[in-house]
Amino acid sequence: MTASSTQQTRTRAPVQIARVALPVPIDRLYSYRVPDSFQTWVRPGRRVIVPFGKRKLAGVVIEEGSEADLAKFKARDLIDVDVQLPPLSQELLELTRWVATYYMCAWGEALRAALPPGSASASSRTRVQTVAMIDFNEEGPEVLPRGERQRAIIEQLRIWHMAEETPVPQRRVLAECGGTAATIKRLAEMGFLFVEQEERDRFLEERRAVEASDRPTLHAGQEQAVAAIQGSIEDNRFETFLLHGVTGSGKTEVYLRVLEEVRRRGQTAIVLVPEISLTPQTVRRFRARFGDEVAVLHSRMGDGERYDAWRGIGEGRYPIVIGPRSAILAPLANPALIIVDEEHESSYKQFDPAPRYHARDVAVMRAAKNNAACILGSATPSLESLSNAREGKYTLLEMPERVPVAGKPARLPHIRIVDLRNEPALRLSNDALSQPLLDGIADRAGKGEQTILLLNRRGFAPVMECVDCGWVPECPDCSVSMVYHKPLHHLRCHYCGITQPPPRVCPTCDGKELAFQGSGTQRLEAELTARLPDVRVLRMDLDTTAKKGSHHDILEQFGNGDADVLLGTQMVAKGLDFEKVTLVGIIRAEAGLQLPDIRAEERAFQLLTQVAGRAGRADLEGEVILQCLDPGHPIIQFALKHDYAGFAHYALATRAILNYPPTGRLVSILFSGPDDQATRTTAEKFRRLIDNHLTDVDRLGPSPAFIHRLKNRYRHQVLLKIPQGVPASRIREGLGKAENALGSLPQSTRMTIDVDPAGLV
Ligand code: ADP
Ligand code: ZN
Ligand code: ZN
């Protein structure tokens, strides 16, 4: 008998007092008495429901406590133990402890990210559900029952039984034969049939079968990458690989091959993809190779479905888990491989609520704890990962060429610039499509080929503007301009969601001419339809994909050739692979470059490269038309030449001079509150305190955050720039002292610490 099975069979001593981590921003454990009936169930890692003030909270048992722990408090009883969810493993308890320490939050907050969400109370949505299943009793009475309904049910049941369709859900029996639950109960008592309660798996019900796919022969670059990664898996050796492969170089095929090896060895793996790439296309490729072994998690799952998924993973039913950032804390046992696709994506960083973790960095940590291999894949690696590779912490694997098609090397698309300064007609009319781009679209449509049009919405949306004084409507609660939505004829704030009718006259100067500046996706669609009436257009943005499944439908229609043009926001840039797309148009290449964010240029370069990669992926050659006002901008020039190395050299130099990541590290401390001046005063006081406690780091601010007001709260930010060599523990200690000295915050003021912040707040 092995050690682990001994442990499993050993009967547990009852636990009378449990120390529990709770999702509240105070990093300590809370002690509760365990009622007798729960004592054998309580153990480290169990999800429990406890009273906390007037609330009920879901927490995780960390350890057994003693009477001494209770002495100081009025001991309260634990309310419930979730016995259906397998307890979190020791590994996940340690990993979440690390997350809490590194990202400076409470352990209970970090644990919240490792549990299926759902209300704290034992609601039916986060509980295992059962359905009644009816089976025919072959040895039941030979004469039919007397009642007409009863007889109909038994006759139908016999037919189903002969067709081997039994047991059938009670719901179906009643729907087809009439009767009520009481009828069934009566028949069961008479011995005609059996009723069994079967567990219902809400997660399983969502899944659909997919056909198996062919495995292509790997090209040389893929062979090398696969061999290197397999080496680390065979040796059970922790190693992180940065797989830098241009778009269409076959990175996904590398993932699939390495996963096959992991499965051959009976091991498990996690695959992280950005939410936006969790397209049916991606999912289908993994399903085709691994079928039911794959659990796909996504943000649109209901609470019940997610609960069942978590439970199934915890019970070891799915050796491969695919999902967005939260999947990194999925309860999978001993992962041997962790893949982070599109590792540069900012959506891997969580902002609210705590833990404010970066899933890529947690992935590397989890791999290290499990002696696993970690693959970070991207066509445009983040500067952080690139510099880790250069310092020898990661192993760099490069695939600089696209997958050859029919023996010929596939080329990256040709990129052409349209200088908008030479298009005065556009500037006067406020239109967005230049003649060369329109010609390109019409030409492709005529040949049965397709076009993708990207409108980078960040910092570039259809806002209303007074022609006379330049006034722009802003959200009354958030300091951002409101966006005009034509179908509903209203203005909407994209941060808090409130809507307003557009004003008829300018509130500042009484001017009557309110025009729309910039161009949103709707406006672009209207312009395109007006200029090229025969071209069929599909639009994909936040509005058209709000409904569940609509994202899928739009892509399916485009894939089927139901449209000539797919037009949209960033959503169209990622991971899509359509054979017929030979033209990609970028409406304003410099949109986003000017945002006050240290990663603005990096993001713009990544986006341009990714979207350009959508063109010409099969045997048809691709072209990219890039409209911009500033063709000389270094970022545009690097994108034009597909020059990642040049871009990295340029960007790393700037970051090093300013001590920004990856040279130094950042920690942002955000204060928010309903009163602007009071919030600012608190931030200033805190700044003076860190001047005393953290002398070896650069201290900036406080300054109003990029979004100064959000949901009627004012926000002021203090930023720490931490030079290389200053350990994280120093920062934690200094911040802790400053926080203590600050004392309790004024009413409804909040302090939010964000370690390695990803962008504008
Ligand atoms: P990436 O993830 O790097 O963008 P993919 O893995 O999606 O690239 O590969 C691009 C296309 O090439 C896909 O349609 C894929 O099925 C195909 N492909 C990948 N590797 C090979 C190969 N070795 N031989 C033939 N086709 C391949
Ligand atoms: Zn005005
Ligand atoms: Zn708002």
Side-chain angles (χ1 to χ4, degrees), residues 658-659 694-700 719-723:
L658 298 170
N659 223 348
L694 274 172
T695 42
D696 41 3
V697 306
D698 281 346
R699 303 165 297 273
L700 311 173
L719 198 62
L720 305 183
K721 246 203 261 181
I722 301 150

Side-chain angles (χ1 to χ4, degrees), residues 344-501:
H344 61 275
E345 276 287 322
S346 56
S347 64
Y348 284 128
K349 180 72 161 67
Q350 169 148 315
F351 180 68
D352 256 338
R356 301 186 169 81
Y357 65 105
H358 199 304
R360 176 193 62 217
D361 299 341
V362 178
V364 174
M365 197 57 182
R366 191 164 186 190
K369 282 192 179 298
N370 287 280
N371 295 320
C374 184
I375 311 176
L376 310 178
S378 177
T380 50
S382 63
L383 296 174
E384 282 83 355
S385 295
L386 181 71
S387 74
N388 278 326
R390 290 192 176 164
E391 287 168 19
K393 286 188 207 147
Y394 300 170
T395 306
L396 185 62
L397 301 170
E398 294 192 286
M399 299 201 295
E401 314 246 308
R402 285 189 154 187
V403 174
V405 179
K408 283 183 297 184
R411 265 173 300 160
L412 285 167
H414 177 70
I415 303 186
R416 195 168 125 201
I417 284 193
V418 172
D419 187 341
L420 291 176
R421 288 171 305 187
N422 303 333
E423 306 275 329
L426 284 191
R427 304 188 67 186
L428 285 177
S429 65
N430 236 333
D431 279 352
L433 297 162
S434 65
Q435 200 55 50
L437 184 50
L438 284 166
D439 292 345
I441 296 168
D443 171 57
R444 306 303 141 114
K447 288 194 285 196
E449 296 172 9
Q450 293 176 303
T451 301
I452 288 181
L453 282 183
L454 169 78
L455 182 73
N456 185 356
R457 200 203 269 263
R458 276 188 77 166
F460 196 70
V463 285
M464 196 177 222
E465 188 183 42
C466 169
V467 174
D468 299 322
C469 76
W471 171 85
V472 168
E474 272 195 359
C475 171
D477 297 333
C478 315
S479 55
V480 290
S481 11
M482 297 184 85
V483 174
Y484 179 65
H485 285 259
K486 194 172 175 196
L488 299 166
H489 186 59
H490 68 204
L491 299 167
R492 185 188 304 164
C493 169
H494 274 260
Y495 283 88
C496 72
I498 71 154
T499 59
Q500 282 185 347

Side-chain angles (χ1 to χ4, degrees), residues 76-279:
R76 296 176 78 180
D77 280 4
L78 202 136
I79 297 170
D80 201 0
V81 182
D82 189 342
V83 298
Q84 281 143 346
L85 206 62
L88 288 177
S89 62
Q90 189 59 31
E91 183 236 337
L92 273 172
L93 291 176
E94 283 171 22
L95 186 70
T96 49
R97 182 59 255 179
W98 176 83
V99 167
T101 307
Y102 185 83
Y103 293 102
M104 300 191 212
C105 65
W107 195 354
E109 291 178 304
L111 281 162
R112 173 172 53 196
L115 291 172
S119 60
S121 61
S123 78
S124 61
R125 284 186 307 157
T126 56
R127 272 314 169 96
V128 173
Q129 285 183 5
T130 55
V131 276
M133 298 296 288
I134 311 299
D135 206 347
F136 182 68
N137 183 4
E138 286 179 357
E139 276 137 40
E142 278 170 23
V143 283
L144 284 172
R146 279 215 307 267
E148 200 178 317
R149 278 273 151 68
Q150 294 178 335
R151 200 176 307 167
I153 290 176
I154 295 309
E155 279 175 349
Q156 181 59 50
L157 208 54
R158 186 180 284 147
I159 294 169
W160 277 325
H161 191 66
M162 286 192 300
E164 295 186 356
E165 281 182 38
T166 45
V168 276
Q170 172 166 313
R171 203 151 29 117
R172 181 169 166 207
V173 177
L174 300 182
E176 295 194 18
C177 315
T180 63
T183 327
I184 300 278
K185 193 161 166 239
R186 183 80 194 98
L187 286 169
E189 283 162 4
M190 293 191 291
F192 284 100
L193 49 79
F194 302 113
V195 184
E196 281 152 28
Q197 293 298 322
E198 197 170 276
E199 268 183 24
R200 185 176 156 219
D201 191 329
R202 290 156 289 197
F203 182 53
L204 210 58
E205 286 162 16
E206 271 284 305
R207 318 171 81 221
R208 292 175 208 96
V210 171
E211 299 138 42
S213 73
D214 295 338
R215 298 162 76 244
T217 314
L218 297 182
H219 61 70
Q222 289 172 319
E223 288 273 11
Q224 279 168 16
V226 169
I229 302 160
Q230 278 185 359
S232 117
I233 291 173
E234 277 157 22
D235 300 348
N236 287 317
R237 169 167 44 84
F238 164 57
E239 187 169 352
T240 304
F241 298 91
L242 178 58
L243 179 60
H244 177 200
V246 298
T247 51
S249 58
K251 294 184 290 296
T252 311
E253 192 57 41
V254 171
Y255 306 152
L256 292 169
R257 271 332 145 84
V258 182
L259 279 169
E260 283 178 10
E261 177 63 19
V262 165
R263 289 307 300 137
R264 219 174 290 130
R265 299 164 56 89
Q267 294 174 304
T268 65
I270 298 176
V271 183
L272 298 187
V273 294
E275 178 75 40
I276 208 164
S277 335
L278 262 179
T279 57

Side-chain angles (χ1 to χ4, degrees), residues 535-567:
V535 164
R536 300 161 306 160
V537 186
L538 273 171
R539 176 163 63 88
M540 186 158 82
D541 56 22
L542 277 179
D543 297 321
T544 61
T545 56
K547 259 202 346 253
K548 188 171 174 173
S550 49
H551 188 237
H552 175 179
D553 294 344
I554 294 172
L555 293 178
E556 191 142 293
Q557 286 175 44
F558 191 61
N560 289 341
D562 294 349
D564 307 300
V565 178
L566 175 66
L567 165 165

